[in-house]
Amino acid sequence: MSRWIGHWGNLCSLLLISIMLILIGFIIFKGLPTLELKLFFGDTEPLAAMMGQKPVWEGIWPACVGTLTVVLCAVSLAALPGIASGIWLASAPEKWAQKVFSLAVDILAGIPSILMGLFGFSLILVLRASLFPQANVSLLLAAFCLALLILPYIACATQNALSSLPKQLTVTGAALGMTQWQVTYRLLLPQASPGIMSGLMLAIGRAAEDTAVIMLTGAVANAGLPGGFLQRFEALPFTIFYFSAQYQSQQELNMAFGAALVLLILTSIIFTLLAALVRRRNRNILGSAKSLIKEKMC
């Protein structure tokens, strides 16, 4: 019986990997022929477009910059609260406050993105009617709503990574005279960094591909390069949706495939850079942890 269950698990894994490879292969097959300067800049000079001296009307360069900007802003807003929430959930005693907060994180993780977009749009309406009559959808609002959307992923990943560590680490740190903060920062977080890293990767991917939130909170067509946090912007997910749903020619449909491939490449680059930075930081933290343990033992 266990052998059949193992075979069934392998078959399901193979099926999942095959479907993923087929989808990625289809995007590469359709989008690779469109990867040229015209896809990014249209008829505008590349250097003038990158410097913001001339607008780009028939390319996806502003959408690339807008996507990168809104993702970095959203992750910056959500990373610290998410990791701090995960640390508290993993280390706090089993009291009613911990249970209520854990339930709130689970509920927030299950909220559909369209509802988060409607929340951001409703927030603008409330601000217009009360404190800020000039409030409008913007990059900052989109980043804030995306941060609320991805915060539970970071918190849950941090909590699970810390909870899976052996209790001997905490006991050893306390026996060496470390404070609770030193144990958490010097011992637990470096060991849990792969799990936290996976949560950050999931959050980045979730923020980069979401369309419903940014469509209701600031993403528009032909907005140009982001002019500020309170301005509207372009983004690759909205560009893909716009051209695939309302294309008037084969060229516009090909632009949608090209934008999809660029989004895939962009998120892969972000993942790679983030993984490299985390590995480098982990080596530094582990080195300082070993020196601290040796100092305490002496």
Side-chain angles (χ1 to χ4, degrees):
M1 184 65 180
S2 59
R3 180 181 299 179
W4 286 106
I5 294 176
H7 290 329
W8 174 251
N10 294 333
L11 180 61
C12 291
S13 301
L14 181 61
L15 180 63
L16 179 62
I17 295 174
S18 301
I19 294 174
M20 182 187 68
L21 292 177
I22 290 173
L23 291 176
I24 294 176
F26 178 76
I27 294 174
I28 294 175
F29 176 76
K30 289 289 188 177
L32 194 60
T34 67
L35 284 184
E36 54 185 3
L37 289 178
K38 188 175 182 180
L39 172 67
F40 292 92
F41 307 108
D43 296 329
T44 308
E45 269 186 47
L47 185 59
M50 288 188 288
M51 297 296 293
Q53 298 174 352
K54 294 182 180 180
V56 178
W57 301 111
E58 298 178 353
I60 64 171
W61 172 249
C64 296
V65 178
T67 298
L68 187 62
T69 304
V70 73
V71 168
L72 291 179
C73 289
V75 174
S76 299
L77 290 174
L80 186 59
I83 294 176
S85 300
I87 293 174
W88 187 81
L89 287 173
S91 59
E94 288 288 339
K95 294 183 179 180
W96 67 270
Q98 195 264 1
K99 294 180 180 179
V100 170
F101 190 76
S102 179
L103 178 62
V105 171
D106 293 337
I107 293 175
L108 188 60
I111 292 180
S113 59
I114 187 66
L115 293 184
M116 194 62 71
L118 288 174
F119 164 75
F121 187 76
S122 302
L123 180 61
I124 287 297
L125 296 180
V126 172
L127 291 176
R128 279 185 178 181
S130 57
L131 300 177
F132 302 101
Q134 303 299 324
N136 202 351
V137 292
S138 61
L139 189 147
L140 182 61
L141 177 65
F144 174 72
C145 293
L146 284 176
L148 291 179
L149 192 69
I150 65 177
L151 191 148
Y153 297 97
I154 302 175
C156 292
T158 303
Q159 179 189 7
N160 294 333
L162 291 173
S163 299
S164 62
L165 296 177
K167 299 298 182 182
Q168 288 84 346
L169 285 175
T170 304
V171 175
T172 302
L176 293 173
M178 294 183 180
T179 64
Q180 183 63 35
W181 167 248
Q182 288 176 327
V183 171
T184 302
Y185 180 73
R186 299 291 183 88
L187 295 181
L188 300 183
L189 286 180
Q191 296 296 323
S193 59
I196 299 175
M197 172 70 182
S198 65
L200 286 174
M201 285 187 172
L202 182 62
I204 290 175
R206 186 73 174 86
E209 58 82 23
D210 194 272
T211 307
V213 172
I214 61 174
M215 183 171 59
L216 294 172
T217 56
V220 293
N222 297 325
L225 293 174
F229 290 112
L230 299 181
Q231 301 295 324
R232 298 188 180 188
F233 65 101
E234 294 185 45
L236 286 173
F238 183 78
T239 300
I240 297 168
F241 166 77
Y242 180 79
F243 282 115
S244 61
Q246 304 183 29
Y247 69 93
Q248 301 295 326
S249 62
Q250 185 64 35
Q251 181 181 359
E252 292 184 351
L253 182 59
N254 292 337
M255 185 177 292
F257 284 116
L261 181 58
V262 170
L263 179 60
L264 184 63
I265 295 173
L266 186 62
T267 52
S268 300
I269 292 174
I270 294 175
F271 289 167
T272 304
L273 292 176
L274 183 59
L277 289 174
V278 170
R279 281 197 298 267
R280 182 176 180 181
R281 178 170 176 78
N282 286 344
R283 287 196 296 266
N284 295 335
I285 293 177
L286 286 174
S288 61
K290 291 178 180 178
S291 62
L292 180 63
I293 292 175
K294 290 180 180 178
E295 179 182 346
K296 292 291 184 180
M297 293 180 66
C298 295

